[in-house]
């Protein structure tokens, strides 16, 4: 098998790439509307706990296994299992992970296209003076326009292709070194502007997100916080294992993971502080669901001073965040083709991108021409989302943590993580008992009817 692995040029480059993968639509699109629906602060504080107790250890294990194998996730799992005297069937953890990232990018790119299109809608003043009915019509009209959806899906996938084709150092790392600081700057501008124009609503938003309100902490909110903590860090998709395969032995996994988790949390929190002050100042609904970004927020942008500029900046920010995540979703498939076939990096990237782009067309058509094509009551877009987020990702995450905690030599892991007796005991309890149970809960709940 070919070995394609260059290395990350620095710990900072790796950290920014990993943080870029974690900081995506989940932070800016999903987190705010989930917080709105689940009662605000109770959900947020529970989510923060789960990020460090559940998410961080799985992230470390994915990096550790990837660094040990130095190959794509499938062959990393196979080789590391063989070196530990375990069955090569463990490669299925890698197979499901790579397939999951492939499927996710097909519909993630469609959403990335929505964000890109909204940049131009905002700057052209499309949202000026609109109400909820008008923004709903704009969004539904956009979803029914196959040509527009296809155009922006293609543009977004082309951007991914160009970046990933340039390699680990010259593409992934360089792009994240530019986009992550840019994303941070845009977010600070948005929060600052929200503080200025929203007046007292900024304090209301702060209390909504951070003042404990335990009476709002329902079982549904706890499960939602647990699930989002898992998905927010790009776990179970083969991404972090692939990124770990480019990692040198000198990088401290625990301290790097801690930094990535903190960055991910900061972006999620600041996104809430950029969005909710505008929502409350305009008397809009915080629990507006997925439509919060594309239907509710444009009302605020259209009815405030310099709203076109602010809206444009917000959707640039959203597009940047989507792109730093989507390039990581493409990487596991590219890495597999580059190693397993005669293809070079550029060819593997183009082939992977075209296949994902083609599947994305089916997702686009599920909103219009193929809206009546359903399986288990779900259209193609919703079915892929359900299959990956509710089944494939938890299965991969569960397999990873069981393999790392029960199948690998724990003395070597303890030495590699440089943990003393007490902290390794805590690590063992988390990875051997608490986290597997938590991921099983996520998996089982994925099969239950959704409740509010």
């Amino acid at each position: 098998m070919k070995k394609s692995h260059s290395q990350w040029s620095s710990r900072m480059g790796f950290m920014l790439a990993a943080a870029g993968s974690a900081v995506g639509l989940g932070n800016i699109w999903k987190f705010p509307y989930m917080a709105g629906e689940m009662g605000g602060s109770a959900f947020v504080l529970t989510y923060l706990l789960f990020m460090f107790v559940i998410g961080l250890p799985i992230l470390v294990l994915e990096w550790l296994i990837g660094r040990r194998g130095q190959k794509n996730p499938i062959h990393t799992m196979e080789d590391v299992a063989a070196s530990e005297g375990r069955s090569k069937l463990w490669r299925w953890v890698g197979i499901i992970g790579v397939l999951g990232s492939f499927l996710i990018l097909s519909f993630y790119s469609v959403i990335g296209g929505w964000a890109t299109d909204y940049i131009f809608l905002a700057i052209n003043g499309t949202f000026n003076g609109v109400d909820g009915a008008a923004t709903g019509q704009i969004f539904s009209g956009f979803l029914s326009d196959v040509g527009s959806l296809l155009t922006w899906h293609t543009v977004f996938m082309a951007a991914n292709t160009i970046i990933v084709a340039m390699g680990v150092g010259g593409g992934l790392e360089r792009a994240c070194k530019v986009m992550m600081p840019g994303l941070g700057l845009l977010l600070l501008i948005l929060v600052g502007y929200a503080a200025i124009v929203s007046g007292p609503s900024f304090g209301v938003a702060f209390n909504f997100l951070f003042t404990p309100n335990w009476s709002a902490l329902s079982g549904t909110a706890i499960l939602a916080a647990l699930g989002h903590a898992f998905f927010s860090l790009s776990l179970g998709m083969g991404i972090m294992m692939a990124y770990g395969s480019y990692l040198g032995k000198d990088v401290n996994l625990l301290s790097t993971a801690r930094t990535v988790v903190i960055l991910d949390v900061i972006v999620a929190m600041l996104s809430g502080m950029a969005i909710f002050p505008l929502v409350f100042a305009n008397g809009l609904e915080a629990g507006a669901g997925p439509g919060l970004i594309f239907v509710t927020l444009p009302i605020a942008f259209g009815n405030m001073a310099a709203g076109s500029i602010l809206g444009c900046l917000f959707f640039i920010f959203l597009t940047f965040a989507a792109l730093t995540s989507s390039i990581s979703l493409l990487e596991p498939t590219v890495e597999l083709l580059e190693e397993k076939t005669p293809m070079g990096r550029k060819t593997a990237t183009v082939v992977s991108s075209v296949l994902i782009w083609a599947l994305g067309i089916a997702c686009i058509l599920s909103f219009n021409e193929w809206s009546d094509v359903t399986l288990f009551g779900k259209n193609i877009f919703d079915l892929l989302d359900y299959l990956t987020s509710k089944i494939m990702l938890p299965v991969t995450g569960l397999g990873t943590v069981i393999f790392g905690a029960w199948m690998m030599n724990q003395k070597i892991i303890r030495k590699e993580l440089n943990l003393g007796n007490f902290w390794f005991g805590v690590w063992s309890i988390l990875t051997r008992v608490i986290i597997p149970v938590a991921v099983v809960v996520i998996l089982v709940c994925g099969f239950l009817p959704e409740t509010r």
Side-chain angles (χ1 to χ4, degrees):
M1 181 187 300
K2 290 186 299 182
K3 290 203 69 175
S4 65
H5 291 82
S6 57
Q7 299 282 302
W8 302 104
S9 67
S10 65
R11 176 179 178 271
M12 178 60 69
F14 165 68
M15 190 169 63
L16 287 174
S21 176
V23 173
L25 292 174
N27 295 72
I28 302 146
W29 179 28
K30 195 171 184 179
F31 174 79
Y33 86 68
M34 289 181 73
E37 289 182 330
M38 302 295 172
S41 58
F43 172 83
V44 171
L45 295 173
T46 307
Y47 162 74
L48 292 177
L49 173 66
F50 286 146
M51 281 288 282
F52 286 94
V53 174
I54 307 296
L56 188 147
I58 300 178
L59 178 63
V60 170
L61 281 175
E62 290 203 13
W63 284 347
L64 187 149
I65 295 169
R67 183 164 70 176
R68 185 82 61 85
Q70 292 287 298
K71 293 178 181 175
N72 66 80
I74 297 172
H75 294 96
T76 279
M77 286 301 303
E78 188 175 282
D79 288 359
V80 174
S83 70
E84 296 282 352
R86 309 296 182 178
S87 169
K88 289 188 176 182
L89 290 176
W90 281 103
R91 67 178 176 269
W92 279 97
V93 172
I95 291 172
I96 298 171
V98 172
L99 180 59
S101 62
F102 180 96
L103 295 177
I104 290 169
L105 184 52
S106 69
F107 62 83
Y108 197 97
S109 175
V110 174
I111 302 173
W114 299 352
T116 310
D117 178 66
Y118 266 56
I119 295 172
F120 299 96
L121 291 180
I123 200 63
N124 288 332
T126 305
F127 305 131
N128 291 349
V130 295
D131 58 14
T135 57
Q137 288 174 0
I138 290 169
F139 188 53
S140 61
F142 178 55
L143 292 184
S144 66
D145 187 343
V146 177
S148 292
L149 291 175
L150 180 58
T151 297
W152 293 113
H153 167 54
T154 303
V155 167
F156 192 81
M157 276 306 303
N160 280 273
T161 305
I162 292 168
I163 293 171
V164 175
M166 295 171 70
V168 175
L172 297 171
E173 187 172 348
R174 182 182 297 174
C176 289
K177 282 182 175 179
V178 172
M179 287 193 290
M180 287 301 291
L183 190 150
L185 178 61
L186 284 170
L187 183 54
L188 290 175
I189 292 172
L190 291 167
V191 173
Y193 192 87
I196 293 170
V197 303
S198 63
S201 294
F202 193 82
V204 174
F206 185 89
N207 290 332
F208 175 76
L209 284 173
F210 300 113
T211 301
N213 178 20
W214 300 114
S215 62
L217 190 63
S218 65
T220 300
I222 293 173
L223 291 173
L226 175 61
H228 191 59
F230 181 84
F231 302 125
S232 178
L233 290 171
S234 298
L235 303 176
M237 308 179 199
I239 294 170
M240 293 306 180
M241 204 175 290
Y243 274 21
S245 72
Y246 301 119
L247 197 56
K249 297 292 184 183
D250 58 324
V251 175
N252 184 306
L253 298 181
L254 278 172
S255 65
T256 304
R258 184 171 59 244
T259 303
V260 168
V261 171
I262 290 172
L263 287 174
D264 189 60
V265 167
I266 288 173
V267 171
M269 299 298 107
L270 288 178
S271 295
M273 289 307 299
I275 292 171
F276 285 122
L278 303 180
V279 170
F280 293 142
N282 287 273
L284 303 174
E285 177 57 51
L292 178 65
I293 299 299
F294 295 104
V295 178
T296 304
L297 266 186
I299 303 171
F301 296 142
N303 292 278
M304 66 171 60
S308 293
I309 296 174
L310 183 65
C312 178
L313 290 176
F314 177 81
F315 287 111
I316 290 174
F317 167 65
L318 187 65
T319 302
F320 268 29
L323 192 55
T324 59
S325 286
S326 59
I327 56 177
S328 70
L329 285 165
L330 182 55
E331 180 59 28
T333 304
V334 171
E335 184 183 30
L336 175 64
L337 291 182
E338 191 180 4
E339 290 179 0
K340 194 65 176 175
T341 72
M343 297 180 195
R345 176 82 183 186
K346 290 181 174 60
T347 304
T349 304
V350 171
V351 170
S352 301
S353 297
V354 169
L355 292 174
I356 292 168
W357 172 82
L359 183 56
I361 295 175
C363 295
I364 287 171
L365 294 175
S366 69
F367 292 109
N368 36 74
E369 302 297 331
W370 292 357
S371 59
D372 57 342
V373 177
T374 60
L375 186 62
F376 305 116
K378 300 180 184 297
N379 64 24
I380 296 171
F381 184 101
D382 291 337
L383 181 65
L384 289 177
D385 182 24
Y386 178 86
L387 178 64
T388 52
S389 66
K390 302 295 187 182
I391 301 175
M392 298 177 73
L393 270 58
V395 166
T396 304
L398 181 62
T400 299
V401 75
I402 290 175
F403 181 79
W406 291 96
M407 300 292 110
M408 296 179 70
N409 187 314
Q410 297 303 293
K411 291 182 179 179
I412 296 176
I413 290 180
R414 177 179 175 178
K415 182 178 179 181
E416 192 165 345
L417 298 181
N418 193 27
L419 291 172
N421 288 336
F422 174 77
W423 286 112
F424 188 71
V426 173
W427 169 269
S428 297
I429 292 172
L430 287 175
T431 57
R432 290 187 158 212
V433 181
I434 295 175
I435 295 175
V437 170
V439 179
V440 168
V441 169
I442 294 172
L443 184 60
V444 170
C445 289
F447 291 97
L448 300 178
E450 293 186 3
T451 59
R452 291 287 179 93

